[in-house]
């Protein structure tokens, strides 16, 4: 029986999840990945510039669950739940802020191990082949071909399929070629800050800090964060302006900097701090928004290839995984229009490998109708959250709003949902979450302003009544009072 074939460029987190989905739906799958197989012993421990660990939350887990609840279970077996932020103040005091009033956590997971789980699942399907150490050099989306180069032999060959999926990450070649075919708008912006990862080893075979929190040392224009690992270490990341990185040239500069801003972390890092800081790579931070994400029924870009974000909402991979869940639903809708494509169980056995080019195109048109907008809004939220994490979390007004939103959510869960909850613990589209957040923030501001004015007015009223000589001072009329509120 003929079946559709997909060529996937990139076998990272999103590419490998996409491969699993297409394989499950009966497609012939070929994945081309430029790196060597990360599961082979000889490749262990090679440092990737991307983060060692990352936070997976509802959107990411939902996409894995739809693929197979057993794979989600395997994933959850290797996570460390983080229920809140642990703020490290300059004076060494700690302050825990829960992520969710209902106690939901985000989960720290090892990037490499998650990738390995997905590669294993992908290869468990007989209709899948992963080619490691193959560079996808160029794409002809009209002919549905990809030119690949074996980096060990330098041999060039051409792979062809019914659909090309570009999942080759932030510096995507697939995205570059898409712009030659589909009049793609691309916005790329570097921010003035970079990052450096520093390992905090375990102490006496235990975690150096509480392991059920994401630790943050917010210092207004920069911050240090730490996520726990299963081996009881923490991967810490220092985010700060490049000028600050450049100002630290010697061991003494580094220690003076840490003594001033992160004094409580020095004994936790120990002597390793200097080596880690000076030998580990410093990474640039940028975002990419692009639209559309597809060309006819021939090609689609997903994950960081389509939308690369700054990492401050921990949503890059989560959003990429959601891309694959959405794409699957849209393909299932074409293959089995009578089945509810949002119901993972109902469409468990649906195959999408017999779709016509027109049906694939219809699915991709619907895909580009939602994902570019949603991922662009996710990026906006991540840019906003950088300021929140490094600075606002310390403000009294932020803490009051955070508390108030939480309480209102418990009483009116449909009316007010904290932004963090919408982004991390629901699958509300990012664009809708951003709109709702703006609306409810305005409402809360009006409410707080009304309450403040009422309190001031009440205090004045009682002061008048208590202290003013009754014959000389007149209490304001109703219209005068209303004019105060209009201001
Ligand atoms: P990648 O993971 O970059 O994978 C792309 C793959 O394509 C790679 O394997 C690469 O080798 C391969 N490739 C590239 N070019 C070619 C080519 N020409 N030919 C063949 N193969 C190629 N996201 C979260 O959800 N939560 C977090 O907590 C989080 N923290 C982060 C912290 C930092 C510091 C950073 C930088 C990012 C973080 N992210 C986080 C974002 C997350 O890392 C990315 O969104 C995610 O890795 C995207 O997956 P991807 O598969 O699209 O791209």
């Amino acid at each position: 029986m003929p079946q559709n074939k997909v060529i996937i460029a990139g076998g990272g987190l999103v590419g490998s999840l996409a491969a699993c989905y297409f394989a499950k739906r009966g497609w012939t799958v070929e994945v081309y990945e430029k790196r060597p197989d990360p599961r082979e012993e000889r490749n262990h421990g090679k440092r990737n510039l991307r983060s060692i660990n990352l936070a997976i939350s509802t959107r990411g887990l939902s996409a894995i669950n739809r693929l197979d609840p057993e794979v989600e279970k395997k994933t959850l077996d290797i996570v460390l739940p983080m229920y809140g932020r642990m703020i490290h103040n300059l004076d060494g005091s700690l302050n825990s802020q829960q992520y969710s009033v209902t106690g939901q956590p985000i989960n720290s997971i090892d990037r490499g191990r998650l990738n390995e789980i997905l590669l294993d699942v992908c290869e468990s399907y007989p209709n899948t082949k992963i080619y490691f150490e193959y560079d996808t050099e160029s794409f002809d989306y009209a002919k549905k071909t990809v030119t690949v180069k074996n980096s060990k032999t330098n041999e060039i060959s051409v792979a062809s399929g019914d659909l090309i999926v570009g999942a080759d990450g932030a510096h995507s070649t697939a995205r570059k070629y898409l712009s030659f075919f589909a009049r793609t708008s691309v916005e790329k912006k570097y921010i003035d800050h970079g990052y450096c990862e520093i390992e905090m080893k375990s102490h006496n075979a235990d975690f150096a800090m509480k392991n059920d929190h994401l630790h943050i040392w917010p210092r207004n224009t920069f911050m240090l964060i730490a996520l726990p690992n299963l081996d009881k270490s923490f991967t810490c990341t220092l985010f700060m302006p490049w000028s600050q990185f450049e100002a630290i040239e010697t061991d003494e500069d580094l220690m003076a900097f840490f003594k001033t801003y992160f004094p409580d972390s020095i004994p936790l890092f120990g002597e390793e701090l200097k080596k880690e800081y000076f030998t580990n790579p410093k990474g640039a931070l940028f975002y990419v928004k692009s639209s559309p994400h597809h060309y006819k029924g021939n090609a689609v870009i997903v994950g960081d290839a389509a939308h690369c974000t700054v990492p401050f909402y921990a949503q890059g991979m989560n959003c990429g995984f959601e891309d694959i869940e959405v794409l699957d639903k849209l393909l299932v809708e074409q293959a089995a229009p009578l089945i509810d494509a949002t119901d993972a169980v109902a469409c468990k056995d649906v195959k999408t490998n017999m779709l016509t080019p027109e049906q694939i195109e219809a699915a991709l048109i619907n895909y580009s109708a939602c994902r570019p907008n949603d991922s662009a809004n996710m990026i906006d939220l991540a840019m906003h959250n950088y300021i929140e994490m490094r600075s606002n979390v310390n403000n009294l007004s932020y803490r009051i709003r955070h508390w108030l939103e939480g309480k209102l959510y418990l009483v009116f869960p449909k009316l007010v949902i904290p932004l963090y909850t919408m982004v991390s613990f629901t699958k509300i589209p990012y664009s809708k979450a951003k709109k709702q957040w703006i609306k409810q923030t305005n409402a809360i501001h009006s409410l707080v302003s009304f309450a403040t004015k009422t309190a001031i007015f009440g205090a004045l009223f009682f002061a008048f009544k208590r202290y003013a000589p009754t014959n000389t001072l007149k209490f304001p009329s109703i219209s005068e009072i209303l004019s105060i509120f209009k201001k």
Side-chain angles (χ1 to χ4, degrees), residues 281-459:
K282 314 284 177 292
L285 294 167
F286 61 94
Y287 69 74
V288 176
K289 297 177 180 177
S290 77
S291 179
H293 285 174
H294 78 290
Y295 174 66
K296 296 190 175 166
N298 302 8
V300 63
I301 52 173
V302 292
D304 277 18
H307 48 72
C308 173
T309 181
V310 291
F312 305 117
Y313 230 122
Q315 285 299 307
M317 172 198 64
N318 285 293
C319 179
F321 279 11
E322 191 176 59
D323 288 349
I324 305 305
E325 180 171 355
V326 171
L327 181 60
D328 182 63
K329 280 181 193 160
L330 295 170
L331 291 168
V332 166
E333 259 171 32
Q334 294 296 320
L338 299 180
I339 288 182
D340 175 5
T342 59
D343 182 342
V345 177
C347 54
K348 190 166 131 270
D349 297 321
V350 172
K351 299 286 178 226
T352 59
N353 59 334
M354 302 290 282
L355 292 175
T356 63
E358 293 72 28
Q359 286 175 309
I360 299 174
E361 182 170 11
L364 297 192
I365 288 172
N366 290 338
Y367 183 85
S368 270
C370 59
R371 292 313 283 169
N373 185 32
D374 276 333
S375 52
N377 278 289
M378 178 273 292
I379 291 166
D380 293 344
L381 293 173
M383 290 293 288
H384 166 81
N385 210 43
Y386 188 27
I387 302 167
E388 191 132 310
M389 283 175 87
R390 70 179 197 225
S391 165
N392 294 357
V393 286
N394 273 340
N395 297 345
L396 184 64
S397 63
Y398 166 83
R399 278 154 55 188
I400 292 173
R401 202 194 72 214
H402 191 248
W403 174 85
L404 189 61
E405 266 182 4
K407 295 289 170 216
L408 288 171
Y409 175 51
L410 287 177
V411 185
F412 310 108
K414 291 216 168 92
L415 224 56
V416 176
I417 315 177
L419 179 62
Y420 198 89
T421 298
M422 284 193 276
V423 171
S424 300
F425 305 126
T426 75
K427 293 198 292 172
I428 298 172
Y430 295 107
S431 47
K432 213 170 147 201
K434 192 172 130 196
K435 265 192 204 136
Q436 155 121 6
W437 169 61
I438 292 171
K439 214 167 85 186
Q440 73 194 27
T441 303
N442 288 340
I444 289 175
H445 279 164
S446 307
L447 190 75
V448 170
S449 151
F450 177 77
T452 314
K453 284 176 178 167
T454 308
I456 292 170
F457 170 71

Side-chain angles (χ1 to χ4, degrees), residues 14 33-35 50 55 111 135-136 168 304 316-318:
V14 176
E33 166 55 50
K34 134 174 128 172
R35 290 172 308 161
R50 322 298 322 264
R111 170 193 291 274
D135 203 326
T136 52
D168 52 347
D304 277 18
M317 172 198 64
N318 285 293

Side-chain angles (χ1 to χ4, degrees), residues 471-483:
N471 296 337
T472 51
L473 276 173
K474 198 170 131 288
F475 194 73
S477 69
I478 294 290
S479 58
E480 281 166 331
I481 294 168
L482 286 177
S483 73

Side-chain angles (χ1 to χ4, degrees), residues 8-16 32-36 48-57 82 106-107 111 115 131 133-139 148 166-174 195 197 214 225 227 237 239 284-285 302-321 323 378:
I8 300 179
L13 293 169
V14 176
S16 55
Y32 291 88
E33 166 55 50
K34 134 174 128 172
R35 290 172 308 161
N48 188 329
L49 186 57
R50 322 298 322 264
S51 60
I52 306 255
N53 58 14
L54 29 71
I56 186 164
S57 47
M82 301 179 289
I106 59 171
N107 305 285
R111 170 193 291 274
N115 201 175
Y131 296 89
E133 299 181 68
Y134 275 77
D135 203 326
T136 52
E137 293 211 313
S138 63
F139 296 77
V148 296
D168 52 347
H171 299 282
S172 169
T173 314
Y195 71 97
E197 291 194 338
L214 187 154
I225 67 166
L227 274 74
T237 313
F239 293 99
L285 294 167
V302 292
D304 277 18
H307 48 72
C308 173
T309 181
V310 291
F312 305 117
Y313 230 122
Q315 285 299 307
M317 172 198 64
N318 285 293
C319 179
F321 279 11
D323 288 349
M378 178 273 292

